[in-house]
Amino acid sequence: MSKKKRVEGEGKVVGSISQGHGQAAFSVSFWPGESESGADGSGKDEVASSPTARSSCRTVYHVACVGGNRVNVYEVDPGKAPRGIELRQSYLDEDEREVFYACCWSCGRRRQDGSRIAMLIVGGQQGIAKVIDCGNFEVNVALAGHGNSINDARAHPVDGALLLTASKDESVRLWNIRTGTCVAVFAGDRGHRDEVLSVDVHALGGVFCSAGMDNTVKVWRLDSPRVARAIRASHEAPNPDFRPFRTAFEQFPVFSTAHVHSNYVDCARWAGSLIFSKSTANRVILWTPDPARASRSPRPDATDAAHPAAKSDAVLVLRELELAGADIWFMRFGVDPKHELVAAGNKTGKVNVWRVDAETSSPALRISQHKCNTAVRQVDFSPDSKLLACCCDDASVWVFDQLNTNAALLTFNIYRKCPYEHVPFTELIPWTETILGRAPGRFVDTRHGRTHYVYYNRANTLPLVVLVHGSGNSLERWLPIAKALSAKGFRVLAYDLYDHGFSETSGTKYRVDSRGRHALNFTLDVLVQQFNDVLEALGIKSSFVFVGHAIGGAIGLDVAATSAARVKGLVLMDAVVYPPNRSNQMLTAASTLKVAHKAVNDPRHEENQRHFQMMHTLLEENPRYLAAVTSITKHCKGYATSLVNEFKTCCRDGTPILLVWGREDAVTSYDDCIKLQNIAEKLASSSVYERLLQRNR
């Protein structure tokens, strides 16, 4: 067999697009299918794949690249050089602070004509993975759950609905992009101890590997009984009664080692059942786990004898590939779909290509171009391994022809100013649905975010009853009462306060810092404004009876005091009128979590299991919920200061008031109810006070 010759040279640029933006391009990914373009050069308008390619048609490729808050999809046609590239789609995220670090394709679903649906997944600094349907030009779902930025994302090679994301929050999450559920979380006791920088799934789909800044590479099972059950459940119909999906938590990988690298491991990829990984030591290493090495050794050393499990993280290094100029991190290599080639770039813009089965560690091919002189952040192969794409720090993406190894086929910049209009991200569904299941009601846009509500008998002309829950609760607590009132013919409106239940504040405007503090101060004015925004959005101009529990009662008092003509009656249930005792443990997040844990398993709360399960899930999965509860107790009038003056105003205006109190209430004392009755007795006229007492009985 003849010896393979190493090819080296400067590629010929056949087509190029000038740079228009200075931000780095961090990720590039070929659409894994193929598209046909007719002999006349006409092609399909959307990313799709064809199972066969006729001789009269040229094969075209589609490649996605991300950087900053922008995602571009290009069509690459080698037969049209020097104009072989055309911008097909461009998406601009509404959050200017977003910086996308990863992109990948999922193509498991097919249309009726047999073509595969192109779903592009992108993720970055904001920690939200967004699934873009490139056929319908819209964001299909937003997957939120990570506590920090997403560094890498990989679609499952067998089940196209599954997606793995690696995050700075030291976890890897498994998602079902069709149902929008978080299937499993891989983190904890034996998980990563620092950022997870890379993730890749084995070709058979049974295991995946992850690598991170803790210098380790870990192998996790996807076919373990617990994870497999969760995967099957994620494909099924939503849980009855809208119960939240039970996410599996896996803390123990089947293999973990820190013996391959002594610094950050920024990329790990499968090649068959072997693993390629790279750090900052100017080389890419091919290795395999070898936990049984100690048992094969004819002369075990003293360490092995004293600690039989000491070599359970042992590895067998097969090859070390030279990669000069790669001593900076977050530079990811690529393995071709046939697992025959591996390619990696360096910080000077050069790309090395090795054959996996070669005997030498030197590259079989070195590709360079004098205009490509910045760090190569990622390399990816086309599905037929003929083209090689890489993205660089200068916001450029280069595509090379593997069959003509000396020629750079195309180069283009993902930030160029072009005549195409950027397609904005469509309005995202509330991410709370990804952890709580499908919301029972609908949503309206309000000043500080989106509000979830239910509205029964909307077309009826009977009186309207508005139900507002307290801090830490949700409209779920009102549903039995709301349904009973609607059965009597009343119009009934209930909604979730911001960051409670399914409502949420704008993630682009209001963040939660590392100490759990919400950027939005939940003052009473903010909550009253939300109430008014909901009524305005629904076109409600009639009067109503306001029923409020805890802080909901405080909202009702403020509304009644300022709009007495609209409030036909006011029901205060354990309302927060006097500031509660600040030492009360119910006001602490830790105690709230304990209450939720206890109530979920308490048979006495069987009828409220849905509510307590939601409360439990939000406390564990949604930092905004905890921050909102804390902010309300700190800033909201009623908790922070008294609402006695508003109560006096309602009494003077003659507003009918019903007080409903619990004698053993742990937050708002029953003494508060007695105080309010005494105030009403002094201020209200005789007729008003009689009506008050009559309703109080």
Side-chain angles (χ1 to χ4, degrees), residues 85-144:
I85 182 170
E86 182 178 355
L87 179 64
R88 286 307 220 176
Q89 297 177 16
S90 184
Y91 300 86
L92 184 67
D93 194 275
E94 61 182 3
D95 188 352
E96 295 181 354
R97 299 172 300 175
E98 178 68 277
V99 179
F100 290 120
Y101 297 140
C103 68
C104 67
W105 294 91
S106 176
C107 55
R109 300 177 62 186
R110 291 183 180 271
R111 298 183 178 87
Q112 293 181 353
D113 61 0
S115 62
R116 289 185 286 183
I117 299 176
M119 307 295 285
L120 177 61
I121 299 99
V122 297
Q125 186 169 300
Q126 300 304 313
I128 301 175
K130 298 175 181 178
V131 183
I132 305 171
D133 185 341
C134 292
N136 294 325
F137 310 102
E138 64 180 6
V139 174
N140 185 272
V141 67
L143 305 172

Side-chain angles (χ1 to χ4, degrees), residues 449-462:
R450 303 187 74 188
T451 298
H452 171 241
Y453 72 94
V454 293
Y455 193 2
Y456 297 106
N457 296 337
R458 185 169 185 169
N460 207 327
T461 58
L462 288 178

Side-chain angles (χ1 to χ4, degrees), residues 16-17 63 65 74 76 85 395-399 410-414:
S16 65
I17 295 177
V63 62
C65 44
Y74 292 91
V76 180
I85 182 170
S396 65
V397 176
W398 298 75
V399 181
L410 303 164
T411 176
F412 52 93
N413 191 278
I414 68 174

Side-chain angles (χ1 to χ4, degrees), residues 592-610:
T592 306
L593 184 59
K594 290 179 181 178
V595 169
H597 275 293
K598 185 176 180 181
V600 165
N601 300 310
D602 192 337
R604 294 176 298 176
H605 299 290
E606 184 176 356
E607 61 181 8
N608 291 318
Q609 282 298 297
R610 160 69 175 169

Side-chain angles (χ1 to χ4, degrees), residues 223-244:
D223 56 1
S224 65
R226 177 167 44 192
V227 177
R229 281 196 303 270
I231 292 174
R232 288 193 298 270
S234 72
H235 288 289
E236 298 173 356
N239 290 326
D241 302 325
F242 305 104
R243 293 196 303 271

Side-chain angles (χ1 to χ4, degrees), residues 409-424:
L409 174 67
L410 303 164
T411 176
F412 52 93
N413 191 278
I414 68 174
Y415 290 110
R416 68 182 277 269
K417 295 180 180 179
C418 60
Y420 297 92
E421 289 293 332
H422 287 101
V423 181

Side-chain angles (χ1 to χ4, degrees), residues 571-582:
V571 180
L572 303 180
M573 301 177 61
D574 295 327
V576 183
V577 181
Y578 295 94
N581 186 351
R582 302 299 292 181

Side-chain angles (χ1 to χ4, degrees), residues 359-374:
E359 298 179 358
T360 176
S361 61
S362 299
L365 168 67
R366 284 196 176 108
I367 302 174
S368 64
Q369 218 288 330
H370 70 282
K371 292 184 179 180
C372 180
N373 50 24
T374 58

